[in-house]
Amino acid sequence: MRPLPLAHAARSLAAVGLVELALAARGRSVLDDLGEVVIDHSPLPLVELGVQLMGTTDKPLLRLQSLAALVASGTVLGARAAPGHGRVSRRTTTLGVAGVAALAAARVVLARQQPQVRAELARPSAAVSDGADAWDASPMVTPVEDFYVTDVTMRAPVVDAAAWRLEVEAADGARAVVDADRLAGLDLQERQALLACVHNRPGWDRLGQQSWTGLPLPDLLAALGLPVPDAEDESLDLVMEGADGLVMTLPWPEVVVRRSWLVTGMGGRPLTASHGHPARVLTAGLPGQYGGPKWVTALRLRPAGSVTASWVARGWPRGPVVVPLMARIDSLGTVGMPPRLPLRAVRVGSRDGVSGVAWAPAHGGVAGVDLRVDDGPWVAAELAGDLGPDSWRRWRAPLDLPPGTHELAVRCRAGDGTVQAGTGRPPYPSGADGFHRVQVKVARA
Ligand SMILES: Nc1nc2c(c(=O)[nH]1)N[C@H]1C(S)=C(S)[C@@H](COP(=O)(O)O)O[C@H]1N2
Ligand SMILES: [Mo]
């Protein structure tokens, strides 16, 4: 009797399961390893495409794809070994490929539809002027558990704070090695700031705002008794190493101008493992991949250009690239986050308010936010309090729309006079730009 491909598939699945189980005890995973091999050996444009399609759930999907690929190859191999393999192997290969494609497609569709459902179900609220709802609907800080996570490795390192050391090396070779206790004893401050990924796109939430505990890097050097370079000293790069092997570099003047700091806490608590426990660097004006190494183990001042950053080796500009200024719509009335890629318009009341956040950390902070309805003029929105250039700023505006479908667009104006251009450029190579647009539909009264 000819074995069914299903039997091969089941056997392959069981085999992968057993291997995963055996490896799990040692904290390893064949699915993760395979995912990493895929990322490391894919050309940059393909990786970029994957990141855009999958948003922040790229890791679970990569695991699923690894699993599907393993099971598919096991099935094909099994069928080949069996008699009368020709037809079966062709069919199973097709099935395997179709399966992987279906998984990817399902994920993309789900990503588009989930927020849509939320927006459709929520009831339109009172107008902005009726209460504080509009401000509340755009939270000032991103809850730690909702804060985006981006790692270059499939499995984030778990650093033992007791064994962890940070090596700080000055330009003259002088060194200081500090542990978590010594760091905690320094003069740490608490400040709010945003952190953004270079892959953030208009309307996306691959950035967040939180209160952080830490101190500016020049102050860290001084506190450790190390010489602090001149703020304009372009002959030096700061080389930052993470426990996962990631290396980032910044010209020293950037460290000073962009206010990079070492942080140990987030939201009044120690950093979580996924956000870089026990310490990371944070630079609001620079995307995470340029100015925000997590699980930092070494900070070294080296001659400019002498060390190549991991991202530069993978094809990103030496930069550093700055966080593009942008405004985002977070709510319509009290209706939550509009869909990332709307398939249909969000229903709103004719007098609903609209609110959101805007940021311009590399351009002197937010000076204004403008809202545009359809082809109308840009109209200034009302701004909430200003926490400084490193924080995002909330905005809100009333709506008074006739029945029908309309498009809302928002743009950010920065403190240094830059106005968001809305070019529609993609994240690679210097960060995305584009107006966040939302289709709204006002029912006939
Ligand atoms: N060591 C290390 N640091 C890292 C990364 C990483 O993979 N390893 N990812 C970077 C990227 S691409 C971004 S956007 C931010 C994300 O920080 P978060 O995960 O705390 O939001 O961390 C940066 N720092
Ligand atoms: Mo990132």
Side-chain angles (χ1 to χ4, degrees):
M1 192 187 89
R2 198 172 63 192
L4 289 169
L6 212 59
H8 293 304
R11 231 175 284 140
S12 307
L13 191 63
V16 177
L18 280 178
V19 174
E20 275 299 280
L21 235 103
L23 289 179
R26 296 153 159 252
R28 302 216 41 100
S29 151
V30 68
L31 299 182
D32 284 0
D33 290 348
L34 202 67
E36 265 173 33
V37 170
V38 170
I39 294 179
D40 288 349
H41 294 273
S42 303
L44 189 64
L46 207 67
V47 175
E48 286 304 299
L49 185 73
V51 170
Q52 292 317 313
L53 287 179
M54 298 178 237
T56 43
T57 33
D58 40 8
K59 279 199 212 174
L61 182 62
L62 265 169
R63 286 194 187 112
L64 260 177
Q65 283 176 336
S66 299
L67 179 67
L70 284 174
V71 171
S73 22
T75 309
V76 171
L77 285 177
R80 267 185 186 284
H85 55 79
R87 212 152 46 86
V88 177
S89 83
R90 226 172 298 132
R91 197 195 310 152
T92 43
T93 310
T94 314
L95 275 177
V97 172
V100 174
L103 278 173
R107 175 64 195 93
V108 173
V109 169
L110 281 179
R112 287 176 191 212
Q113 285 187 339
Q114 260 165 9
Q116 176 73 39
V117 170
R118 219 166 62 210
E120 286 278 342
L121 289 180
R123 209 144 347 118
S125 72
V128 166
S129 52
D130 289 353
D133 302 13
W135 288 133
D136 298 343
S138 304
M140 188 55 207
V141 297
T142 313
V144 175
E145 60 274 18
D146 297 340
F147 208 100
Y148 85 97
V149 172
T150 302
D151 302 330
V152 289
T153 47
M154 286 295 286
R155 188 177 292 261
V158 176
V159 181
D160 173 13
W164 174 84
R165 298 289 182 273
L166 172 66
E167 199 181 321
V168 186
E169 196 179 322
D172 63 0
R175 294 188 327 149
V177 178
V178 291
D179 59 14
D181 285 344
R182 172 108 191 257
L183 262 191
L186 297 180
D187 186 18
L188 306 180
Q189 314 145 23
E190 190 142 335
R191 261 201 286 150
Q192 274 205 33
L194 63 92
L195 171 63
C197 179
V198 76
H199 288 106
N200 193 57
R201 286 200 178 223
W204 283 35
D205 54 2
R206 222 168 167 124
L207 90 162
Q209 165 94 15
Q210 254 299 344
S211 75
W212 309 86
T213 314
L215 79 171
L217 291 183
D219 296 358
L220 173 71
L221 290 179
L224 299 179
L226 296 171
V228 184
D230 194 78
E232 278 99 51
D233 192 344
E234 289 176 352
S235 72
L236 293 171
D237 276 357
L238 180 69
V239 179
M240 307 175 281
E241 301 168 11
D244 56 352
L246 201 73
V247 176
M248 302 188 193
T249 69
L250 282 180
W252 179 254
E254 279 290 309
V255 172
V256 179
V257 170
R258 305 278 171 219
R259 302 170 294 277
S260 298
W261 51 325
L262 184 76
V263 303
T264 57
M266 181 181 188
R269 307 186 60 106
L271 286 171
T272 60
S274 59
H275 291 295
H277 183 77
R280 75 176 302 161
V281 173
L282 183 87
T283 314
L286 302 177
Q289 72 181 42
Y290 284 95
K294 304 194 273 192
W295 317 289
V296 63
T297 54
L299 298 169
R300 307 178 200 282
L301 282 160
R302 286 286 156 84
S306 60
V307 175
T308 300
S310 308
W311 296 101
V312 174
R314 290 235 51 194
W316 283 81
R318 182 167 288 278
V321 163
V322 301
V323 172
L325 69 163
M326 202 175 272
R328 188 179 74 189
I329 296 172
D330 280 349
S331 69
L332 293 148
T334 52
V335 179
M337 185 73 128
R340 216 187 234 179
L341 298 164
L343 300 173
R344 279 167 297 163
V346 179
R347 274 178 224 152
V348 296
S350 64
R351 301 188 62 84
D352 261 355
V354 54
S355 65
V357 291
W359 56 92
H363 298 278
V366 176
V369 171
D370 301 324
L371 178 74
R372 187 180 66 188
V373 179
D374 300 325
D375 295 325
W378 289 105
V379 177
E382 184 190 351
L383 292 173
D386 190 1
L387 291 189
D390 288 346
S391 288
W392 70 25
R393 200 164 172 187
R394 293 190 286 178
W395 62 268
R396 67 178 177 184
L399 287 178
D400 191 358
L401 303 170
T405 303
H406 305 280
E407 184 191 72
L408 308 180
V410 274
R411 74 172 182 191
C412 175
R413 280 181 282 115
D416 70 359
T418 312
V419 178
Q420 192 187 339
T423 51
R425 67 167 199 244
Y428 182 84
S430 47
D433 176 41
F435 301 133
H436 184 203
R437 300 162 196 267
V438 176
Q439 301 278 333
V440 296
K441 191 173 180 180
V442 178
R444 230 159 269 283

